[in-house]
């Protein structure tokens, strides 16, 4: 695994084995987003066997989602330490073991710990590394790749729910959980696909005797940890680069995601009950979610291809904000929809804008912080999103119980998502554009653009042993003192604090 990493200066292949990685990412995304919702098929049987209420039983899915989002920083640390492939293999085993053990549960608490905590943690250890590896394999076609991978969510949700119903009817909930645990072993197969991107030619192993001093390296699925000779400089990548929080682009994105997560999922959760309250028959009300899913399946890859166009890709942040505003306005304009035709129109518009958001959300983050800081940024963003998800939908449910009025909930949810889109657009235009137009002062700590320059220089040049301070453009561009014209310049690896040994 260590010998298969990319050579310096080699860009993402944008194809080849990357398509196999994309297929694995499609499957992982489908399991991560579809599985917690598909488990709800078994709730009625669980309520009967355990004598519990719906709210108590629903905590199984809630805990699973909380683990998926809330363990993002843990996943980032493990990926940086061990690499994507080992983490995903262990995650697949954990996810499968959680469902297998849940089939033997005799109390709800045991279900919380197995299907909730263990399976949720396993899905989290698969989801985040798959996105990281996708970014290593695709650059030019990355928006399309993200859109195709994101399409796994509606596809698997449409497939897993009927499958769960069939398993429940034929084998009961215990047999269904056991078989679903076996199905989750496919995550291990997807993890095995995640080999590091190949370099343009053969590269000596880091532990061979022929390596030059300071060149020993162990690839961690594209995240390289370098060793320096005695008296040289040690360059270690932080397990979790919390310094990314000081990045202005990351701050804007994190606030946007928090506001978005407060209201984005609420309409889909309440849609069926809202339609039944409006007098729609049960079968027709359930079909509304299928309409959202079908439109979502088409919208995600289509939006990914659109974002990859040369004229639109530099403005992908504005496209993301447009998708958020469209989703929020859809909620606001449909708050009083009572007829079935109006609800179908809402589902088409909601599915389209929801798919656009799903296709663009991680592409915007990659573009904001760079692929080298993406693992840490993704973990921290998922943690922020976990807080919002635990606040938004539960609060909406309590308001419905208290007010018996869905219209106010749709207004609140739409306002939150639309506000997220407006904030993203205004902050990108006023704050981020202004910071790019302002030349950095000498010795100032570099922002996101400086970090990307440092990464490009580090990948293109040999590892230095000089003593320049990292972080400033002058330190990155000026040769180290005493270096000859043919010697490499000092280049600080982004997100790394060099230390003297």
């Amino acid at each position: 695994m260590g010998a298969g990493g990319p050579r310096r200066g080699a860009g993402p292949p944008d194809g080849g084995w990357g398509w196999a990685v994309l297929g694995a990412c499609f499957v992982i995304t489908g399991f991560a987003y579809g599985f917690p919702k598909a488990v709800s098929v078994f709730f009625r049987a669980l309520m009967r066997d355990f004598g519990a209420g719906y709210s108590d039983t629903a905590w199984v899915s809630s805990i699973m989602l909380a683990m998926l989002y809330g363990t993002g920083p843990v996943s980032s640390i493990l990926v940086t330490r061990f690499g994507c492939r080992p983490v995903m293999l262990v995650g697949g085993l954990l996810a499968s073991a959680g469902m297998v053990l849940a089939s033997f549960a005799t109390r709800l608490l045991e279900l919380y710990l197995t299907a909730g905590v263990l399976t949720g943690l396993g899905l989290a250890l698969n989801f985040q590394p798959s996105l990281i590896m996708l970014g290593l394999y695709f650059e030019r076609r990355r928006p399309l790749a993200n859109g195709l991978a994101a399409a796994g969510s509606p596809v698997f949700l449409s497939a897993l729910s009927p499958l769960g119903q069939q398993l429940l009817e034929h084998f009961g909930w215990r047999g269904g959980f056991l078989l679903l645990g076996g199905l989750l072993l496919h995550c291990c197969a997807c993890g095995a696909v995640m080999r590091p991107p190949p370099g343009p030619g053969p590269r000596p192993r880091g532990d061979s005797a022929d390596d030059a001093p300071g060149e020993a390296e162990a690839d961690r699925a594209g995240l390289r940890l370098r060793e320096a000779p005695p008296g040289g400089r040690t360059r270690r990548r932080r397990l979790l680069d919390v310094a990314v929080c000081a990045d202005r682009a990351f701050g804007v994105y994190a606030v946007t995601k928090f506001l978005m997560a407060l209201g984005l999922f609420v309409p889909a959760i309440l849609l069926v009950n809202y339609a039944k309250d409006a007098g729609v028959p049960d079968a027709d009300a359930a079909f509304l979610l299928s309409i959202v899913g079908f439109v979502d399946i088409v919208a995600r890859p289509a939006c990914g291809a659109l974002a990859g166009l040369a004229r639109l890709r530099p403005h992908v942040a504005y496209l993301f904000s447009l998708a958020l505003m469209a989703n929020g306005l859809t909620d606001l304009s449909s708050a009083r929809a009572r007829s079935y035709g109006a609800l179908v129109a809402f589902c088409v518009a909601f599915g389209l804008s929801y798919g656009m958001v799903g296709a663009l959300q991680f592409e915007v983050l990659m573009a904001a912080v760079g692929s080298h800081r993406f693992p840490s940024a993704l973990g921290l963003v998922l943690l922020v999103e976990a807080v919002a998800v635990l606040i938004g939908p539960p609060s909406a449910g309590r308001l419905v119980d208290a007010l018996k009025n869905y219209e106010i909930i749709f207004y609140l949810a739409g306002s939150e998502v639309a506000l997220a889109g407006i904030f993203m657009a205004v902050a990108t235009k006023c704050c981020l554009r202004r910071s790019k137009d302002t030349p950095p002062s000498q010795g100032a700590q570099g922002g996101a653009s400086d970090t990307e320059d440092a990464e490009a220089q580090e990948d293109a040049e040999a590892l230095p042993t000089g003593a320049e301070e990292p972080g400033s453009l002058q330190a990155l561009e000026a040769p180290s003192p005493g270096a000859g014209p043919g010697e490499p310049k000092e280049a600080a690896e982004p997100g790394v604090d060099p230390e003297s040994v």
Side-chain angles (χ1 to χ4, degrees), residues 17-76:
W17 189 255
W19 297 117
V21 172
L22 173 58
C25 194
F26 176 91
V27 174
I28 294 297
T29 303
F31 276 129
Y33 282 119
F35 203 83
K37 301 180 182 71
V39 171
S40 62
V41 171
F42 299 92
F43 282 177
R44 211 175 275 276
L46 294 174
M47 291 164 59
R48 183 181 63 250
D49 283 11
F50 292 110
Y54 183 84
S55 59
D56 293 333
T57 309
W59 270 104
V60 175
S61 290
S62 299
I63 294 172
M64 200 180 292
L65 283 172
M67 294 299 294
L68 176 64
Y69 288 113
T71 56
V74 176
S75 184
S76 294

Short mmCIF file of all heavy atoms in Angstrom, two decimals, residues 17-76:
data_model
loop_
_atom_site.label_atom_id
_atom_site.label_comp_id
_atom_site.label_asym_id
_atom_site.label_seq_id
_atom_site.Cartn_x
_atom_site.Cartn_y
_atom_site.Cartn_z
N TRP A 17 -8.07 3.92 -13.02
CA TRP A 17 -8.58 3.26 -11.82
C TRP A 17 -9.52 4.18 -11.04
O TRP A 17 -10.29 3.73 -10.19
CB TRP A 17 -7.41 2.83 -10.94
CG TRP A 17 -7.82 1.97 -9.79
CD1 TRP A 17 -7.90 2.34 -8.48
CD2 TRP A 17 -8.24 0.61 -9.83
NE1 TRP A 17 -8.33 1.29 -7.71
CE2 TRP A 17 -8.54 0.20 -8.51
CE3 TRP A 17 -8.38 -0.32 -10.87
CZ2 TRP A 17 -8.99 -1.08 -8.20
CZ3 TRP A 17 -8.81 -1.60 -10.56
CH2 TRP A 17 -9.11 -1.96 -9.24
N GLY A 18 -9.46 5.48 -11.33
CA GLY A 18 -10.35 6.42 -10.66
C GLY A 18 -11.81 6.09 -10.87
O GLY A 18 -12.65 6.38 -10.00
N TRP A 19 -12.16 5.47 -12.01
CA TRP A 19 -13.57 5.12 -12.23
C TRP A 19 -13.99 4.00 -11.28
O TRP A 19 -15.15 3.95 -10.85
CB TRP A 19 -13.79 4.70 -13.68
CG TRP A 19 -13.51 5.80 -14.65
CD1 TRP A 19 -12.56 5.84 -15.62
CD2 TRP A 19 -14.21 7.06 -14.74
NE1 TRP A 19 -12.60 7.03 -16.31
CE2 TRP A 19 -13.61 7.80 -15.79
CE3 TRP A 19 -15.26 7.63 -14.04
CZ2 TRP A 19 -14.03 9.06 -16.15
CZ3 TRP A 19 -15.69 8.91 -14.39
CH2 TRP A 19 -15.07 9.61 -15.44
N ALA A 20 -13.08 3.07 -10.97
CA ALA A 20 -13.39 2.04 -9.98
C ALA A 20 -13.56 2.66 -8.60
O ALA A 20 -14.45 2.29 -7.82
CB ALA A 20 -12.28 0.98 -9.95
N VAL A 21 -12.71 3.65 -8.28
CA VAL A 21 -12.83 4.38 -7.02
C VAL A 21 -14.16 5.12 -6.97
O VAL A 21 -14.85 5.15 -5.93
CB VAL A 21 -11.65 5.35 -6.85
CG1 VAL A 21 -11.86 6.26 -5.64
CG2 VAL A 21 -10.35 4.58 -6.70
N LEU A 22 -14.56 5.71 -8.10
CA LEU A 22 -15.84 6.40 -8.16
C LEU A 22 -17.00 5.44 -7.92
O LEU A 22 -17.96 5.77 -7.20
CB LEU A 22 -15.99 7.09 -9.52
CG LEU A 22 -17.34 7.74 -9.83
CD1 LEU A 22 -17.67 8.80 -8.79
CD2 LEU A 22 -17.33 8.35 -11.23
N GLY A 23 -16.93 4.25 -8.52
CA GLY A 23 -17.99 3.27 -8.28
C GLY A 23 -18.07 2.87 -6.82
O GLY A 23 -19.17 2.74 -6.26
N ALA A 24 -16.91 2.67 -6.18
CA ALA A 24 -16.91 2.34 -4.76
C ALA A 24 -17.47 3.48 -3.93
O ALA A 24 -18.22 3.27 -2.96
CB ALA A 24 -15.49 2.01 -4.31
N CYS A 25 -17.13 4.71 -4.29
CA CYS A 25 -17.65 5.89 -3.57
C CYS A 25 -19.16 6.00 -3.73
O CYS A 25 -19.86 6.41 -2.80
CB CYS A 25 -16.94 7.14 -4.09
SG CYS A 25 -17.16 8.60 -3.05
N PHE A 26 -19.67 5.65 -4.90
CA PHE A 26 -21.11 5.63 -5.16
C PHE A 26 -21.81 4.68 -4.18
O PHE A 26 -22.83 5.01 -3.57
CB PHE A 26 -21.35 5.19 -6.60
CG PHE A 26 -22.80 5.02 -6.99
CD1 PHE A 26 -23.51 6.09 -7.52
CD2 PHE A 26 -23.44 3.81 -6.84
CE1 PHE A 26 -24.85 5.93 -7.89
CE2 PHE A 26 -24.76 3.64 -7.19
CZ PHE A 26 -25.47 4.70 -7.73
N VAL A 27 -21.24 3.48 -4.00
CA VAL A 27 -21.82 2.49 -3.11
C VAL A 27 -21.75 2.97 -1.65
O VAL A 27 -22.73 2.87 -0.90
CB VAL A 27 -21.10 1.13 -3.27
CG1 VAL A 27 -21.59 0.13 -2.24
CG2 VAL A 27 -21.32 0.59 -4.67
N ILE A 28 -20.59 3.50 -1.26
CA ILE A 28 -20.42 3.95 0.13
C ILE A 28 -21.37 5.10 0.45
O ILE A 28 -21.99 5.14 1.52
CB ILE A 28 -18.96 4.38 0.36
CG1 ILE A 28 -18.02 3.17 0.25
CG2 ILE A 28 -18.81 5.04 1.72
CD1 ILE A 28 -18.25 2.10 1.28
N THR A 29 -21.50 6.05 -0.47
CA THR A 29 -22.41 7.17 -0.25
C THR A 29 -23.84 6.68 -0.12
O THR A 29 -24.62 7.17 0.71
CB THR A 29 -22.30 8.19 -1.40
OG1 THR A 29 -20.95 8.63 -1.53
CG2 THR A 29 -23.20 9.39 -1.15
N GLY A 30 -24.21 5.69 -0.94
CA GLY A 30 -25.55 5.12 -0.85
C GLY A 30 -25.81 4.48 0.49
O GLY A 30 -26.87 4.69 1.11
N PHE A 31 -24.85 3.70 0.97
CA PHE A 31 -25.02 3.08 2.30
C PHE A 31 -25.07 4.14 3.40
O PHE A 31 -25.89 4.05 4.32
CB PHE A 31 -23.87 2.11 2.57
CG PHE A 31 -24.07 0.73 2.00
CD1 PHE A 31 -23.10 0.13 1.22
CD2 PHE A 31 -25.25 0.04 2.24
CE1 PHE A 31 -23.29 -1.14 0.69
CE2 PHE A 31 -25.45 -1.24 1.71
CZ PHE A 31 -24.46 -1.83 0.94
N ALA A 32 -24.18 5.13 3.33
CA ALA A 32 -24.07 6.11 4.42
C ALA A 32 -25.35 6.92 4.58
O ALA A 32 -25.82 7.15 5.71
CB ALA A 32 -22.88 7.04 4.16
N TYR A 33 -25.94 7.35 3.47
CA TYR A 33 -27.13 8.20 3.56
C TYR A 33 -28.43 7.39 3.51
O TYR A 33 -29.44 7.80 4.08
CB TYR A 33 -27.13 9.23 2.42
CG TYR A 33 -26.21 10.40 2.66
CD1 TYR A 33 -25.15 10.66 1.80
CD2 TYR A 33 -26.40 11.25 3.74
CE1 TYR A 33 -24.29 11.73 2.01
CE2 TYR A 33 -25.56 12.32 3.97
CZ TYR A 33 -24.51 12.56 3.09
OH TYR A 33 -23.67 13.62 3.32
N GLY A 34 -28.41 6.26 2.81
CA GLY A 34 -29.64 5.50 2.66
C GLY A 34 -29.93 4.54 3.78
O GLY A 34 -31.09 4.29 4.12
N PHE A 35 -28.90 3.98 4.39
CA PHE A 35 -29.10 2.93 5.39
C PHE A 35 -29.83 3.42 6.63
O PHE A 35 -30.76 2.75 7.10
CB PHE A 35 -27.75 2.32 5.77
CG PHE A 35 -27.85 0.94 6.32
CD1 PHE A 35 -27.94 -0.16 5.49
CD2 PHE A 35 -27.88 0.73 7.69
CE1 PHE A 35 -28.06 -1.45 6.00
CE2 PHE A 35 -27.99 -0.55 8.21
CZ PHE A 35 -28.09 -1.64 7.36
N PRO A 36 -29.46 4.58 7.23
CA PRO A 36 -30.21 5.02 8.42
C PRO A 36 -31.69 5.23 8.17
O PRO A 36 -32.51 4.98 9.06
CB PRO A 36 -29.50 6.34 8.79
CG PRO A 36 -28.13 6.22 8.21
CD PRO A 36 -28.32 5.47 6.93
N LYS A 37 -32.04 5.66 6.95
CA LYS A 37 -33.46 5.86 6.64
C LYS A 37 -34.15 4.54 6.35
O LYS A 37 -35.31 4.34 6.69
CB LYS A 37 -33.59 6.81 5.44
CG LYS A 37 -32.95 8.18 5.66
CD LYS A 37 -33.12 9.05 4.43
CE LYS A 37 -32.45 10.42 4.61
NZ LYS A 37 -30.99 10.31 4.60
N ALA A 38 -33.43 3.60 5.69
CA ALA A 38 -34.03 2.32 5.35
C ALA A 38 -34.35 1.48 6.58
O ALA A 38 -35.28 0.67 6.57
CB ALA A 38 -33.10 1.55 4.41
N VAL A 39 -33.58 1.67 7.66
CA VAL A 39 -33.81 0.90 8.89
C VAL A 39 -35.19 1.21 9.48
O VAL A 39 -35.76 0.39 10.21
CB VAL A 39 -32.68 1.19 9.90
CG1 VAL A 39 -32.98 0.60 11.27
CG2 VAL A 39 -31.36 0.62 9.39
N SER A 40 -35.75 2.37 9.13
CA SER A 40 -37.06 2.74 9.69
C SER A 40 -38.16 1.78 9.26
O SER A 40 -39.23 1.75 9.87
CB SER A 40 -37.42 4.17 9.26
OG SER A 40 -37.53 4.26 7.85
N VAL A 41 -37.93 0.98 8.21
CA VAL A 41 -38.91 -0.02 7.78
C VAL A 41 -39.19 -1.02 8.91
O VAL A 41 -40.31 -1.55 9.03
CB VAL A 41 -38.38 -0.75 6.52
CG1 VAL A 41 -39.27 -1.94 6.17
CG2 VAL A 41 -38.31 0.22 5.35
N PHE A 42 -38.21 -1.27 9.75
CA PHE A 42 -38.34 -2.27 10.82
C PHE A 42 -38.92 -1.70 12.10
O PHE A 42 -39.09 -2.44 13.08
CB PHE A 42 -36.96 -2.88 11.14
CG PHE A 42 -36.32 -3.58 9.97
CD1 PHE A 42 -35.47 -2.91 9.11
CD2 PHE A 42 -36.56 -4.92 9.74
CE1 PHE A 42 -34.87 -3.57 8.05
CE2 PHE A 42 -35.98 -5.59 8.68
CZ PHE A 42 -35.13 -4.91 7.83
N PHE A 43 -39.21 -0.40 12.15
CA PHE A 43 -39.60 0.23 13.41
C PHE A 43 -40.89 -0.36 13.99
O PHE A 43 -41.00 -0.56 15.20
CB PHE A 43 -39.74 1.74 13.23
CG PHE A 43 -38.44 2.47 13.20
CD1 PHE A 43 -38.39 3.84 12.98
CD2 PHE A 43 -37.24 1.80 13.38
CE1 PHE A 43 -37.18 4.51 12.95
CE2 PHE A 43 -36.03 2.46 13.34
CZ PHE A 43 -36.01 3.82 13.13
N ARG A 44 -41.87 -0.62 13.13
CA ARG A 44 -43.15 -1.11 13.64
C ARG A 44 -42.98 -2.48 14.34
O ARG A 44 -43.57 -2.72 15.40
CB ARG A 44 -44.15 -1.20 12.48
CG ARG A 44 -45.58 -0.97 12.88
CD ARG A 44 -46.46 -0.96 11.64
NE ARG A 44 -46.50 0.33 11.01
CZ ARG A 44 -47.32 1.32 11.38
NH1 ARG A 44 -48.14 1.13 12.40
NH2 ARG A 44 -47.33 2.46 10.74
N ALA A 45 -42.15 -3.34 13.74
CA ALA A 45 -41.90 -4.64 14.35
C ALA A 45 -41.11 -4.49 15.65
O ALA A 45 -41.37 -5.22 16.63
CB ALA A 45 -41.14 -5.54 13.37
N LEU A 46 -40.17 -3.56 15.68
CA LEU A 46 -39.40 -3.33 16.91
C LEU A 46 -40.28 -2.79 18.02
O LEU A 46 -40.14 -3.18 19.19
CB LEU A 46 -38.25 -2.35 16.61
CG LEU A 46 -37.15 -2.85 15.66
CD1 LEU A 46 -36.17 -1.73 15.34
CD2 LEU A 46 -36.41 -4.03 16.27
N MET A 47 -41.19 -1.89 17.68
CA MET A 47 -42.11 -1.34 18.68
C MET A 47 -42.98 -2.44 19.27
O MET A 47 -43.25 -2.47 20.48
CB MET A 47 -42.99 -0.26 18.02
CG MET A 47 -42.23 1.00 17.64
SD MET A 47 -43.14 2.05 16.47
CE MET A 47 -44.61 2.40 17.40
N ARG A 48 -43.40 -3.37 18.43
CA ARG A 48 -44.25 -4.47 18.92
C ARG A 48 -43.47 -5.42 19.82
O ARG A 48 -43.96 -5.81 20.89
CB ARG A 48 -44.81 -5.23 17.71
CG ARG A 48 -45.78 -6.37 18.11
CD ARG A 48 -46.29 -7.12 16.89
NE ARG A 48 -45.20 -7.80 16.17
CZ ARG A 48 -44.76 -7.42 14.97
NH1 ARG A 48 -45.31 -6.38 14.35
NH2 ARG A 48 -43.77 -8.07 14.38
N ASP A 49 -42.25 -5.77 19.42
CA ASP A 49 -41.48 -6.75 20.19
C ASP A 49 -40.94 -6.19 21.50
O ASP A 49 -40.85 -6.91 22.49
CB ASP A 49 -40.32 -7.29 19.35
CG ASP A 49 -40.78 -8.31 18.33
OD1 ASP A 49 -42.01 -8.45 18.15
OD2 ASP A 49 -39.92 -8.96 17.70
N PHE A 50 -40.56 -4.89 21.48
CA PHE A 50 -39.95 -4.31 22.68
C PHE A 50 -40.95 -3.49 23.50
O PHE A 50 -40.59 -2.95 24.56
CB PHE A 50 -38.77 -3.42 22.29
CG PHE A 50 -37.61 -4.19 21.74
CD1 PHE A 50 -37.25 -4.11 20.40
CD2 PHE A 50 -36.85 -5.02 22.55
CE1 PHE A 50 -36.19 -4.81 19.89
CE2 PHE A 50 -35.78 -5.73 22.05
CZ PHE A 50 -35.45 -5.64 20.71
N GLY A 51 -42.18 -3.34 23.00
CA GLY A 51 -43.18 -2.57 23.73
C GLY A 51 -42.78 -1.11 23.89
O GLY A 51 -43.06 -0.50 24.93
N ALA A 52 -42.14 -0.55 22.88
CA ALA A 52 -41.65 0.83 22.96
C ALA A 52 -42.47 1.73 22.04
O ALA A 52 -43.20 1.26 21.15
CB ALA A 52 -40.17 0.87 22.55
N GLY A 53 -42.36 3.03 22.26
CA GLY A 53 -43.02 4.01 21.40
C GLY A 53 -42.19 4.33 20.17
O GLY A 53 -41.02 3.93 20.05
N TYR A 54 -42.80 5.08 19.27
CA TYR A 54 -42.10 5.41 18.02
C TYR A 54 -40.88 6.28 18.28
O TYR A 54 -39.82 6.08 17.67
CB TYR A 54 -43.06 6.13 17.06
CG TYR A 54 -42.43 6.44 15.72
CD1 TYR A 54 -42.41 5.48 14.71
CD2 TYR A 54 -41.83 7.68 15.47
CE1 TYR A 54 -41.82 5.75 13.49
CE2 TYR A 54 -41.24 7.95 14.26
CZ TYR A 54 -41.24 6.98 13.26
OH TYR A 54 -40.64 7.25 12.06
N SER A 55 -41.01 7.26 19.17
CA SER A 55 -39.89 8.17 19.42
C SER A 55 -38.69 7.42 19.99
O SER A 55 -37.54 7.69 19.63
CB SER A 55 -40.32 9.30 20.36
OG SER A 55 -40.77 8.76 21.59
N ASP A 56 -38.95 6.45 20.90
CA ASP A 56 -37.84 5.67 21.47
C ASP A 56 -37.18 4.80 20.41
O ASP A 56 -35.96 4.68 20.36
CB ASP A 56 -38.35 4.79 22.61
CG ASP A 56 -38.81 5.59 23.81
OD1 ASP A 56 -38.28 6.70 23.99
OD2 ASP A 56 -39.68 5.12 24.55
N THR A 57 -37.98 4.19 19.54
CA THR A 57 -37.44 3.32 18.50
C THR A 57 -36.68 4.14 17.45
O THR A 57 -35.65 3.69 16.92
CB THR A 57 -38.57 2.53 17.83
OG1 THR A 57 -39.36 1.89 18.83
CG2 THR A 57 -38.01 1.48 16.89
N ALA A 58 -37.18 5.33 17.15
CA ALA A 58 -36.55 6.16 16.12
C ALA A 58 -35.15 6.61 16.51
O ALA A 58 -34.38 7.06 15.64
CB ALA A 58 -37.42 7.38 15.83
N TRP A 59 -34.80 6.48 17.80
CA TRP A 59 -33.46 6.86 18.22
C TRP A 59 -32.39 5.98 17.57
O TRP A 59 -31.22 6.37 17.50
CB TRP A 59 -33.34 6.79 19.74
CG TRP A 59 -33.70 8.07 20.42
CD1 TRP A 59 -34.84 8.36 21.09
CD2 TRP A 59 -32.90 9.26 20.47
NE1 TRP A 59 -34.81 9.66 21.55
CE2 TRP A 59 -33.62 10.23 21.18
CE3 TRP A 59 -31.64 9.60 19.96
CZ2 TRP A 59 -33.14 11.51 21.42
CZ3 TRP A 59 -31.15 10.88 20.20
CH2 TRP A 59 -31.90 11.81 20.92
N VAL A 60 -32.76 4.78 17.09
CA VAL A 60 -31.78 3.93 16.41
C VAL A 60 -31.23 4.65 15.18
O VAL A 60 -30.01 4.75 14.98
CB VAL A 60 -32.43 2.59 16.00
CG1 VAL A 60 -31.45 1.75 15.19
CG2 VAL A 60 -32.90 1.83 17.24
N SER A 61 -32.12 5.19 14.34
CA SER A 61 -31.68 5.94 13.16
C SER A 61 -31.00 7.24 13.55
O SER A 61 -30.02 7.65 12.92
CB SER A 61 -32.88 6.23 12.25
OG SER A 61 -33.34 5.05 11.63
N SER A 62 -31.52 7.89 14.58
CA SER A 62 -30.93 9.17 15.00
C SER A 62 -29.50 8.99 15.48
O SER A 62 -28.61 9.78 15.14
CB SER A 62 -31.78 9.80 16.11
OG SER A 62 -33.09 10.05 15.66
N ILE A 63 -29.25 7.94 16.27
CA ILE A 63 -27.90 7.68 16.76
C ILE A 63 -26.98 7.33 15.60
O ILE A 63 -25.81 7.75 15.54
CB ILE A 63 -27.91 6.56 17.82
CG1 ILE A 63 -28.66 7.03 19.06
CG2 ILE A 63 -26.50 6.13 18.18
CD1 ILE A 63 -28.89 5.93 20.08
N MET A 64 -27.50 6.56 14.64
CA MET A 64 -26.70 6.19 13.48
C MET A 64 -26.27 7.43 12.70
O MET A 64 -25.11 7.57 12.30
CB MET A 64 -27.51 5.25 12.59
CG MET A 64 -26.70 4.42 11.62
SD MET A 64 -27.72 3.34 10.59
CE MET A 64 -28.33 2.20 11.83
N LEU A 65 -27.20 8.36 12.49
CA LEU A 65 -26.87 9.60 11.78
C LEU A 65 -25.93 10.48 12.60
O LEU A 65 -25.03 11.11 12.05
CB LEU A 65 -28.16 10.37 11.45
CG LEU A 65 -28.97 9.85 10.27
CD1 LEU A 65 -30.30 10.59 10.18
CD2 LEU A 65 -28.20 10.02 8.96
N ALA A 66 -26.15 10.52 13.92
CA ALA A 66 -25.27 11.32 14.77
C ALA A 66 -23.84 10.79 14.72
O ALA A 66 -22.87 11.57 14.68
CB ALA A 66 -25.78 11.31 16.21
N MET A 67 -23.67 9.48 14.68
CA MET A 67 -22.33 8.90 14.56
C MET A 67 -21.73 9.21 13.19
O MET A 67 -20.53 9.49 13.07
CB MET A 67 -22.40 7.39 14.78
CG MET A 67 -22.78 6.97 16.19
SD MET A 67 -21.61 7.54 17.44
CE MET A 67 -20.15 6.62 16.99
N LEU A 68 -22.55 9.16 12.15
CA LEU A 68 -22.06 9.44 10.80
C LEU A 68 -21.50 10.84 10.69
O LEU A 68 -20.43 11.07 10.11
CB LEU A 68 -23.20 9.24 9.80
CG LEU A 68 -22.89 9.57 8.33
CD1 LEU A 68 -21.82 8.64 7.77
CD2 LEU A 68 -24.15 9.51 7.48
N TYR A 69 -22.20 11.82 11.27
CA TYR A 69 -21.76 13.21 11.20
C TYR A 69 -20.77 13.56 12.31
O TYR A 69 -19.77 14.23 12.08
CB TYR A 69 -22.97 14.15 11.29
CG TYR A 69 -23.84 14.16 10.06
CD1 TYR A 69 -25.13 13.67 10.10
CD2 TYR A 69 -23.37 14.67 8.86
CE1 TYR A 69 -25.95 13.68 8.98
CE2 TYR A 69 -24.18 14.69 7.74
CZ TYR A 69 -25.47 14.19 7.80
OH TYR A 69 -26.26 14.21 6.69
N GLY A 70 -21.08 13.12 13.53
CA GLY A 70 -20.32 13.61 14.69
C GLY A 70 -18.93 13.03 14.82
O GLY A 70 -18.09 13.62 15.51
N THR A 71 -18.65 11.90 14.21
CA THR A 71 -17.31 11.29 14.33
C THR A 71 -16.39 11.72 13.19
O THR A 71 -15.37 11.07 12.95
CB THR A 71 -17.41 9.76 14.37
OG1 THR A 71 -18.10 9.30 13.19
CG2 THR A 71 -18.15 9.29 15.60
N GLY A 72 -16.74 12.79 12.50
CA GLY A 72 -15.90 13.27 11.40
C GLY A 72 -14.46 13.53 11.79
O GLY A 72 -13.53 13.06 11.11
N PRO A 73 -14.20 14.27 12.88
CA PRO A 73 -12.80 14.50 13.27
C PRO A 73 -12.05 13.21 13.60
O PRO A 73 -10.87 13.08 13.29
CB PRO A 73 -12.93 15.40 14.52
CG PRO A 73 -14.24 16.08 14.35
CD PRO A 73 -15.13 15.08 13.68
N VAL A 74 -12.74 12.23 14.22
CA VAL A 74 -12.09 10.95 14.51
C VAL A 74 -11.68 10.26 13.22
O VAL A 74 -10.56 9.73 13.09
CB VAL A 74 -13.03 10.05 15.33
CG1 VAL A 74 -12.41 8.69 15.56
CG2 VAL A 74 -13.37 10.71 16.66
N SER A 75 -12.56 10.29 12.24
CA SER A 75 -12.25 9.68 10.95
C SER A 75 -11.09 10.39 10.28
O SER A 75 -10.21 9.74 9.68
CB SER A 75 -13.49 9.71 10.04
OG SER A 75 -13.25 9.05 8.84
N SER A 76 -11.04 11.72 10.37
CA SER A 76 -9.93 12.48 9.79
C SER A 76 -8.59 12.06 10.41
O SER A 76 -7.59 11.88 9.71
CB SER A 76 -10.14 13.98 9.99
OG SER A 76 -11.26 14.44 9.28
#
